Amino acid sequence: MMYNKEFFRNFIVRLIPMFEEHRDYLSKLDSDIGDGDHGINMSIGFREVEKQLDKLYEETEDISSFYRKVGMIILGKVGGAAGPLYGSLFMKAGDDVKGKNELTFEELVGFIENGIKSIEMRGKAVVGDKTMVDALRPAIDRMKESLDSGKEDIEIFEAFVNELKEGSDRTIPLIAKKGRAMRLGERAIGFRDPGSFSSYLIYKEMLDEMKNLAEG
């Protein structure tokens, strides 16, 4: 399959109600070890994306610039540490595909990894720090390894999403080494990192849009 600008627009559209639906749960996760506003902040950010989405889509010439504009809104509207991190996830993804309005699956994987790398650089987090990187990095590495497996795009991406969920699960027994949760020390053990779960939710929506595309 090929993934065009409309695919990415439809994916962003899916994120708007998703963050509304999971707002309270994500904020509850954040209240356990952080400020308690992750879900609220993400819903505020994507409400603003919804207001500007049609204009952004019409005014941008390619996937990269469209995604970057979405990231700029998130950066400006999402409070706390999540704004810069999720803003980067969107703003940096298209650095390798500027000028393109259609991506191959391999390019899509690189697109996603660029965003993840930007989070790693901005947050200076590694696997084991009890952050969203615990979900994102193992999952993207697994997906890259699967590119030459001969499997269908959706099968590979489904494994990626499952690994994101498992990576989020693995944050529960960890001591936090980054962010506000770090101040809790061992008291953070037993609680899920909220960013790892919202990362899983984001790409679960992309998987669903891929299935929708495949069904035609």
Side-chain angles (χ1 to χ4, degrees), residues 62-64 93-101 103 107 111 114:
D62 57 15
I63 294 166
S64 177
D95 283 356
D96 295 339
V97 292
K98 290 178 180 177
K100 292 195 173 187
N101 274 308
L103 305 185
E107 287 172 331
F111 184 89
N114 281 344

Side-chain angles (χ1 to χ4, degrees), residues 151-208:
K151 296 178 180 177
E152 296 292 330
D153 296 5
I154 290 176
E155 187 179 357
I156 293 172
F157 207 85
E158 199 152 26
F160 167 68
V161 171
N162 290 338
E163 181 63 35
L164 286 169
K165 176 58 168 60
E166 291 172 12
S168 179
D169 293 344
R170 290 193 295 269
T171 68
I172 295 172
L174 296 177
I175 295 174
K177 298 177 184 176
K178 294 288 181 182
R180 290 193 176 275
M182 183 172 61
R183 72 190 189 281
L184 298 176
E186 292 188 357
R187 287 180 293 160
I189 293 173
F191 297 101
R192 183 187 302 275
D193 173 72
S196 69
F197 196 74
S198 58
S199 298
Y200 155 70
L201 291 174
I202 285 171
Y203 290 109
K204 184 176 182 297
E205 293 299 326
M206 184 175 277
L207 172 63
D208 288 344

Side-chain angles (χ1 to χ4, degrees), residues 36-90:
D37 58 3
H38 182 55
I40 294 168
N41 285 339
M42 294 301 288
S43 69
I44 290 170
F46 277 90
R47 283 177 208 163
E48 186 62 29
V49 170
E50 182 177 26
K51 291 178 186 175
Q52 300 189 42
L53 189 61
D54 289 341
K55 181 181 177 183
L56 294 182
Y57 187 73
E58 291 170 5
E59 292 182 352
T60 51
E61 295 181 353
D62 57 15
I63 294 166
S64 177
S65 57
F66 170 61
Y67 227 59
R68 177 176 288 275
K69 292 286 188 180
V70 170
M72 289 173 67
I73 293 172
I74 295 168
L75 178 64
K77 286 292 182 178
V78 176
L85 293 173
Y86 285 91
S88 295
L89 181 71
F90 287 87

Side-chain angles (χ1 to χ4, degrees), residues 1 154 210-216:
M1 291 192 297
I154 290 176
M210 289 176 70
K211 291 177 179 178
N212 186 55
L213 177 65
E215 289 170 1

